[in-house]
Amino acid sequence: MELTTTGNIKIVTAKESKINTVDFENLTFGNIFTDHMLVCDYHDGIWEQPVITPYEPFTMDPSSRVFHYGQAIFEGMKAYKDANDEVWLFRPDQNFDRFNKSAVRLAMPEVPEEVFLGGLHKLLEIEKDWVKKGKGNTLYIRPFMIATGHGVVASPSNQYRFCIILSPARAYYSGEVKVVIADHFSRAANGGIGAAKAAGNYSAQFYPTKLANEKGFQQIIWTDDATHTKLEEAGTMNVFFRINDTLYTAPTSERILDGVTRKSIIDLAKHIGINVEVRPVLVSEIVEAAKNNSLKEIFGAGTAAVVNPIAGFSYQDTYYELPKIENSFASDIKEKLTNIQYKLAEDAFGWTVKV
């Protein structure tokens, strides 16, 4: 290992890279990680010096608060490589801001910009060979923070660990996606942590999603907790509905994550002349639109999948198949958005940031 210091970041490099052992054409999402990670610890009100170190397990006290009270948040981002071997990020400031909003909601310390964004840039400089060229190839970025203070008193921790790990990725979902509209289980509730990217939000989805999987569906479209009449998110993604030639999506709230891909799609769709309405979307109107054939598309939107078309949905044991559409909004928007991300088209919005 080689030890250096750049700015305020300590760098400990791996003895050798494992990159040549990786089959980049056959990747399982989130299963392979790069040679290095960034780690920064927080103790008693002070962030310590961040360290880029070889990717490896670390030990924790069994009474660490994350295990007992769930103080854990994360983000999902991607790095892209253009035809000139330059590495780019997509709206990283939005992820940074949302991460700290999640931290505040879970009574965790905010991470300084020089640690989150500065550390990420330095880590990507070191791991740039892991970002492969070609549309569809990305380096998935997972910043996260956990409570590491020990003791089982039910109170916020006084110690935390912030990390960034990197994973080469290709397509997140494959094949047809069919969904169930929830009429009992809820993803989040008013006054809760649904708008935070908290680990517990995702673990709470696993059981109802398992039940949906057993019935042949891949995901759930979540509804509001109080009445189950308003459509909110699809699995781990924001969701869009196309009725005739208008695109609808629910407004963000205490229950709905302010997705970076979501807000980018709204701006991009408006830019290319698609009528977009951000308003509560009712289950009843989507069912009726499916019956009268005005419902043309449903698609999920998120960092991992970008845009994921939905083939059909089930509601109260009735299944509604969506039409097969050439030149769909989903495919057009995904093409234009990914062209911006890979620097294949002009970035009229100033979303891309060079590493």
Side-chain angles (χ1 to χ4, degrees), residues 141-319:
I141 302 164
R142 173 52 65 89
F144 66 96
M145 179 164 54
I146 55 175
T148 53
H150 66 272
V152 295
V153 175
S155 64
S157 177
N158 63 354
Q159 298 178 21
Y160 297 88
R161 172 161 287 191
F162 171 73
C163 297
I164 303 176
I165 56 178
L166 309 173
S167 178
R170 290 178 67 83
Y172 185 68
Y173 290 113
S174 60
E176 241 181 27
V177 175
K178 297 181 179 181
V179 300
V180 177
I181 293 179
D183 59 4
H184 173 68
F185 293 104
S186 299
R187 176 189 173 274
N190 282 333
I193 58 172
K197 210 158 172 65
N201 287 341
Y202 295 79
S203 61
Q205 296 184 39
F206 293 158
Y207 175 66
T209 302
K210 174 177 176 288
L211 297 181
N213 294 162
E214 290 171 353
K215 293 181 178 180
F217 298 93
Q218 287 70 48
Q219 285 292 350
I220 295 173
I221 294 184
W222 303 101
T223 50
D224 69 289
D225 63 300
T227 67
H228 294 292
T229 61
K230 299 173 184 176
L231 295 155
E232 300 202 324
E233 293 195 5
T236 58
M237 301 176 288
N238 296 116
V239 64
F240 288 81
F241 305 89
R242 175 187 172 186
I243 299 177
N244 292 320
D245 287 329
T246 297
L247 206 54
Y248 298 87
T249 193
T252 55
S253 68
E254 292 180 305
R255 303 183 306 274
I256 298 177
L257 190 71
D258 186 15
V260 178
T261 305
R262 171 191 173 276
K263 65 178 69 175
S264 303
I265 286 174
I266 291 170
D267 290 345
L268 181 58
K270 290 177 178 178
H271 182 73
I272 62 177
I274 295 174
N275 186 42
V276 180
E277 290 191 22
V278 179
R279 64 161 176 80
V281 181
L282 301 179
V283 176
S284 58
E285 68 179 307
I286 294 303
V287 170
E288 180 58 30
K291 289 178 178 179
N292 65 29
N293 298 318
S294 62
L295 180 63
K296 306 302 182 184
E297 298 179 66
I298 304 175
F299 58 88
T303 298
V306 187
V307 171
N308 203 84
I310 291 170
F313 69 91
S314 176
Y315 179 63
Q316 295 183 342
D317 296 324
T318 300
Y319 180 71

Side-chain angles (χ1 to χ4, degrees), residues 21-35:
T21 68
V22 176
D23 181 359
F24 284 89
E25 296 301 315
N26 296 285
L27 294 168
T28 300
F29 182 82
N31 196 46
I32 301 294
F33 296 92
T34 65
D35 296 316

Side-chain angles (χ1 to χ4, degrees), residues 330-344:
S331 61
D332 188 33
I333 289 169
K334 182 174 184 178
E335 178 76 8
K336 287 179 168 59
L337 184 58
T338 53
N339 280 347
I340 292 172
Q341 292 170 331
Y342 286 92
K343 305 302 288 184
L344 297 172

